[in-house]
Amino acid sequence: MRVFNFSAGPAVLPLEVLEQARDELTDWHGGGMSIMEISHRSKAFIGVAAEAEADLRELLAIPSDYRVLFMQGGATAQFSALPMNLTRSDSTVDFVNTGSWSKKAIGEAKRYCRVNVAADAAASNFTTVPARESWQLTPDAAYLHYTPNETIGGVEFPFVPELGVPLVADMSSTILSRPIEVSRFGLIYAGAQKNIGPSGLCVVIVHEQLLGRARSDTPSIWDFKAVAAEGSMLNTPPTFGWYFAGLVFKWLKRQGGLAAMAERNQAKAQLLYRSIDESGFYRNPVEPSCRSWMNVPFLLPRTELEKPFLVEAGRAGLTNLEGHRSVGGMRASLYNAMPLAGVQALCDFMREFARRNG
Ligand SMILES: Cc1ncc(COP(=O)(O)O)c(C=O)c1O
């Protein structure tokens, strides 16, 4: 039996896609082998890889002067590789710090170059996005890095910054949740395990102008230009993850693309936030204009209610609602594959739990 899985990642995947992968697992397209058992250099796999890229390009309307890379090591490898690719040791990178993932990216960049935290949401305990007018930018920064959706804090940028330097975005927990204008970014990266597919894979969308700037001591496997030149097959890529991502992209197209996903995701999030706000029992600490559509943290009135909440939710088939260990409380992640019925079931459970414990 499937549950409603509210995990922040690895997260729920579309059942239709899981079933397709299951049906194809031992005998992919009549070849008598699984997709995992064939060479990445084979015509068959190169076809799968190219189709996945083409579908992603279509979904996000990626302009032709951007390259799409399917890399390994998750989003962490990418925010670590970024400074090697785009800075010299005397360069400055600007960051907007809106929470845990921003902080980790800042920590890695500091190993390579100067870091300027242009804006910091620490004063609000990471419940808001600092107003654009307050940012202290470096005029010749190598790039500005930000996290459009902070997965742990549930804080989302209500705007895309307009800047004179390349904009780099960690879209791990927001990519494909709605349409975006790719041309406003220098580079977008996203770990796969929320809206794309299995963990380990990371999709990178990079403007061609940012290729070829890597430091000479950058390992080839982390050099965007070298990876792009080899069609993301400089070594053996994560073939199963790439294939699975391709199935998810096709599923998204069948759903009506990203405009349709945006409508559904907004409706799901609104339903849950309304239930929280109107309950007089639960509380979401994030400034309303910066509330995430994807990750909804909420607190119970007394911490001793957390354990029974989780146990009873589990019994009702609602799983992985525990907040991140660094912040506590509860968190419901509502990625693309979470149906509205799951959110309705959660809201019903929460209402009933509040009635019994209020
Ligand atoms: C916004 C964000 N960035 C980066 C990461 C790290 O991703 P990975 O574990 O794939 O390195 C995560 C993981 O959940 C995330 O949510």
Side-chain angles (χ1 to χ4, degrees), residues 112-183:
Y112 288 93
C113 58
R114 296 191 194 130
V115 162
N116 169 45
V117 178
D120 199 329
S124 74
N125 199 21
F126 301 107
T127 58
T128 184
V129 169
R132 172 67 186 82
E133 308 75 66
S134 67
W135 298 9
Q136 304 285 319
L137 297 167
T138 308
D140 58 349
Y143 57 93
L144 179 132
H145 180 285
Y146 82 118
T147 308
N149 184 65
E150 280 282 357
T151 320
I152 295 174
V155 173
E156 190 174 283
F157 275 68
F159 59 91
V160 176
E162 199 70 62
L163 302 163
V165 303
L167 188 58
V168 171
D170 174 358
M171 290 207 187
S172 297
S173 50
T174 187
I175 196 160
L176 298 173
S177 64
R178 72 206 77 181
I180 50 167
E181 214 180 317
V182 172
S183 61

Side-chain angles (χ1 to χ4, degrees), residues 8-315:
V12 57
L13 290 167
L15 180 59
E16 230 176 280
V17 174
L18 289 166
E19 287 173 342
Q20 184 181 352
R22 176 198 62 199
D23 293 347
E24 297 180 342
L25 190 66
T26 56
D27 183 6
W28 182 79
H29 290 197
M33 289 175 283
S34 120
I35 191 78
M36 281 181 279
E37 299 169 295
I38 65 173
S39 167
H40 57 296
R41 309 271 178 216
S42 63
K43 212 169 147 199
F45 188 78
I46 288 173
V48 167
E51 204 165 318
E53 177 177 337
D55 286 334
L56 182 65
R57 283 186 172 277
E58 187 183 326
L59 283 164
L60 283 167
I62 300 174
S64 59
D65 51 356
Y66 282 76
R67 301 298 298 264
V68 176
L69 313 178
F70 289 82
M71 294 182 69
Q72 315 192 35
T76 302
Q78 287 314 315
F79 62 64
S80 310
L82 271 163
M84 289 189 243
N85 273 276
L86 299 178
T87 71
R88 305 272 157 260
S89 48
D90 60 351
S91 309
T92 301
V93 176
D94 281 349
F95 278 86
V96 182
N97 179 16
T98 49
S100 307
W101 291 110
S102 307
K103 268 192 259 179
K104 290 208 172 166
I106 289 169
E108 291 302 323
K110 277 184 177 162
R111 299 173 193 274
Y112 288 93
C113 58
R114 296 191 194 130
V115 162
N116 169 45
V117 178
D120 199 329
S124 74
N125 199 21
F126 301 107
T127 58
T128 184
V129 169
R132 172 67 186 82
E133 308 75 66
S134 67
W135 298 9
Q136 304 285 319
L137 297 167
T138 308
D140 58 349
Y143 57 93
L144 179 132
H145 180 285
Y146 82 118
T147 308
N149 184 65
E150 280 282 357
T151 320
I152 295 174
V155 173
E156 190 174 283
F157 275 68
F159 59 91
V160 176
E162 199 70 62
L163 302 163
V165 303
L167 188 58
V168 171
D170 174 358
M171 290 207 187
S172 297
S173 50
T174 187
I175 196 160
L176 298 173
S177 64
R178 72 206 77 181
I180 50 167
E181 214 180 317
V182 172
S183 61
R184 298 185 62 181
F185 299 88
L187 186 145
I188 292 166
Y189 65 99
Q193 64 272 27
K194 296 136 195 325
N195 269 337
I196 297 177
S199 58
L201 178 73
C202 189
V203 169
V204 179
I205 302 165
V206 54
H207 193 277
E208 279 171 359
Q209 274 178 358
L210 298 182
L211 301 178
R213 299 186 185 185
R215 298 175 184 214
S216 56
D217 56 359
T218 303
S220 317
I221 194 66
W222 296 123
D223 177 343
F224 298 142
K225 186 175 180 197
V227 173
E230 296 294 329
S232 305
M233 294 199 198
L234 195 142
N235 69 336
T236 315
T239 52
F240 185 79
W242 198 334
Y243 148 83
F244 198 100
L247 299 186
V248 171
F249 300 153
K250 293 240 179 279
W251 176 80
L252 284 169
K253 285 170 65 177
R254 290 198 298 278
Q255 304 308 302
L258 302 191
M261 293 321 296
E263 257 178 57
R264 283 194 217 172
N265 287 327
Q266 189 176 26
K268 288 185 297 183
Q270 273 176 357
L271 178 62
L272 182 51
Y273 285 117
R274 201 177 326 117
S275 289
I276 293 169
D277 292 342
E278 291 174 357
S279 69
F281 185 84
Y282 305 101
R283 192 170 66 81
N284 169 277
V286 179
E287 149 84 31
S289 65
C290 308
R291 284 174 162 183
S292 168
W293 287 6
M294 295 282 104
N295 312 99
V296 182
F298 58 93
L299 300 165
L300 298 166
R302 303 184 296 284
T303 47
E304 65 268 25
L305 288 173
E306 289 179 355
K307 208 159 174 207
F309 181 92
L310 291 168
V311 170
E312 290 173 36
R315 273 194 223 120

